[in-house]
Amino acid sequence: MSVLIERRTFNTAEYYRMVEAGILSEDDHTELIEGEVIRMSPIGSRHAACVDRLNTLLHGRVGQAAIIRVQNPLHLNDFSEPQPDVALLKPRADFYSGAHPGADDVLLIVEVADSSVGYDRAVKVPLYARAGIPEVWLVDLVRNEIEIYRQPAAGSYAELTRAGRGREFASAQIPSLTLRADDILI
C-alpha cells in the first residue's frame, strides 16, 4: 500500500494568523519561503558582527539615497516573505509603515551567510531573482568573498561576480555606493 504525502503550504495571511494565535512568535525566528515556514538558523557572533558592520558602512555611504532595513520582512508574493539580513529600499516618507516593502521597492538585498551559505545560494538567491530583485550580494563568510548577483531573468541571475579580499566593488543600483570587500569581511 502506498501513502500519498501532501505538503500544506501557507500564504502570508495564514502565516500572520499563526503569529496572532500564538502558534509562532517573533522569538521563533522564522520566515515564509514559497509557502513553507522555515526556521532560521541561530545567528552566530561573526554573522551578527558582519550585519552590524554592513549597517554602519551603508548608513555612512548611502545617506538619503535608500532606507536601510536590517532583518525585517520583505513581501515578495502571497507565499514568500523572507527576512534578508540587509535590504536597501527606495526612499519613502512613511518608511513603509502601511505594509512591508515589496520587490519593486528594493534596490539591493544583502544576505550574510556562514552555516546557511548553501541554503542562501540555492533557495534565497533564486527566490529574489524570480521576484525581480535587481541586485543581491551574498556575503560568504566561509570563503571570505562577496558574490554579486545582477540582471534577474527566468528565475536566476544572468550576472555573477565575486569580490574577495583586496577587491573593490560598486552597486549597480546605487552608483554612489562603492565598498571594499575587506570593509565587510571580518
Side-chain angles (χ1 to χ4, degrees), residues 92-127:
R92 271 186 27 186
D94 71 346
F95 285 78
Y96 301 91
S97 63
H100 293 308
D104 291 340
D105 300 311
V106 176
L107 298 168
L108 168 67
I109 293 290
V110 184
E111 290 287 0
V112 176
D114 43 15
S115 63
S116 67
V117 70
Y119 177 80
D120 288 345
R121 190 178 290 122
V123 175
K124 290 186 88 175
V125 169
L127 177 71

Side-chain angles (χ1 to χ4, degrees), residues 18-45:
M18 285 189 271
V19 172
E20 290 168 8
I23 297 167
L24 297 173
S25 77
E26 289 183 13
D27 294 335
D28 286 329
H29 301 290
T30 62
E31 55 186 4
L32 186 66
I33 305 293
E34 297 180 327
E36 293 188 38
V37 178
I38 306 295
R39 185 174 306 276
M40 296 161 49
S41 300
I43 297 173
S45 59

Side-chain angles (χ1 to χ4, degrees), residues 1-66:
M1 175 168 96
S2 65
V3 176
L4 179 64
I5 297 174
E6 186 175 324
R7 287 186 171 200
R8 165 66 161 92
T9 58
F10 300 96
N11 62 37
T12 54
E14 293 168 323
Y15 180 64
Y16 281 103
R17 282 198 298 271
M18 285 189 271
V19 172
E20 290 168 8
I23 297 167
L24 297 173
S25 77
E26 289 183 13
D27 294 335
D28 286 329
H29 301 290
T30 62
E31 55 186 4
L32 186 66
I33 305 293
E34 297 180 327
E36 293 188 38
V37 178
I38 306 295
R39 185 174 306 276
M40 296 161 49
S41 300
I43 297 173
S45 59
R46 188 168 180 222
H47 181 282
C50 186
V51 171
D52 290 344
R53 181 178 290 212
L54 274 163
N55 189 21
T56 300
L57 284 168
L58 293 171
H59 273 287
R61 303 249 167 87
V62 172
Q64 302 298 313

